[in-house]
Amino acid sequence: MMATPIRWPAFRRAVLAIALVAGGTPALAQESASQTQSANQIAAGQAVGEAVLIPNRVIYPGETIELAALKQVTLVPGRHKPDGMATHSDELEGKVAKRTLLPGRYIPIAAIRDAWLVEQGASVQVYFTAGALTISAACVTLQPGAAGDLIKVRNIDSGKIISGIVMADGTIKVGSS
């Protein structure tokens, strides 16, 4: 039997598709002792040139991203970071990974979220304000949420489920419907 020759264009597409699915987009960067800076230097704004942050270890879903888990690399000249990727300390510090982030790969903005301000099952105060009238009620959250998220809560007294927006102080603001 004779082996079937490999069609190179199809083979290249298949290998590229497997590489992208398996690990995301690799950061094309050059790294040397003089170019790699600590995360603290990055936060202080001492980075020069087209420098980006990438994980230096595996970051698991639900884990808070810390600067110690990131390293800075300088992109190869002529290369720019792809759109939709978070590569600066202000975009990443304190965020939570939604999925596994691999070392040496860009971090998609869709793969991170703000830390929850209210957890599911927490007791919160819900406020309704209309002009000079303010009504408050004690509720229990039915889902977690960060500041600005629309979440559902259950009124402890009536059992009614309502939706409201999480405020920066951890209270929930509901509007008239």
Side-chain angles (χ1 to χ4, degrees):
M1 281 183 22
M2 187 163 215
T4 306
I6 297 175
R7 291 183 33 214
W8 286 107
F11 179 72
R12 286 183 192 157
R13 283 194 301 270
V15 169
L16 180 59
I18 291 169
L20 289 174
V21 169
T25 308
L28 298 173
Q30 54 188 15
E31 194 176 346
S32 69
S34 64
Q35 291 173 332
T36 304
Q37 299 179 359
S38 73
N40 293 332
Q41 290 171 323
I42 297 162
Q46 298 175 354
V48 293
E50 181 77 50
V52 298
L53 290 173
I54 57 174
N56 62 9
R57 63 173 179 80
V58 175
I59 300 174
Y60 295 98
E63 184 178 342
T64 301
I65 299 172
E66 300 172 353
L67 289 178
L70 304 171
K71 70 178 175 182
Q72 181 177 9
V73 294
T74 304
L75 294 178
V76 174
R79 296 279 183 171
H80 300 286
K81 75 173 182 91
D83 292 335
M85 301 295 169
T87 56
H88 299 292
S89 61
D90 59 335
E91 298 172 312
L92 294 168
E93 186 175 19
K95 302 286 185 179
V96 176
K98 288 175 155 178
R99 63 180 178 96
T100 303
L101 304 176
L102 300 174
R105 305 280 182 181
Y106 290 115
I107 301 172
I109 291 174
I112 58 175
R113 64 168 173 81
D114 290 329
W116 299 135
L117 192 55
V118 294
E119 295 292 332
Q120 182 174 349
S123 293
V124 294
Q125 279 299 115
V126 174
Y127 292 97
F128 170 81
T129 304
L133 173 69
T134 300
I135 301 171
S136 69
C139 292
V140 174
T141 58
L142 299 177
Q143 56 194 130
D149 288 349
L150 180 68
I151 65 168
K152 292 185 179 187
V153 295
R154 175 178 283 125
N155 185 314
I156 293 173
D157 296 328
S158 69
K160 185 172 179 166
I161 296 174
I162 53 177
S163 296
I165 298 174
V166 179
M167 305 307 288
D169 62 356
T171 61
I172 309 295
K173 177 183 173 186
V174 295
S176 60
S177 50

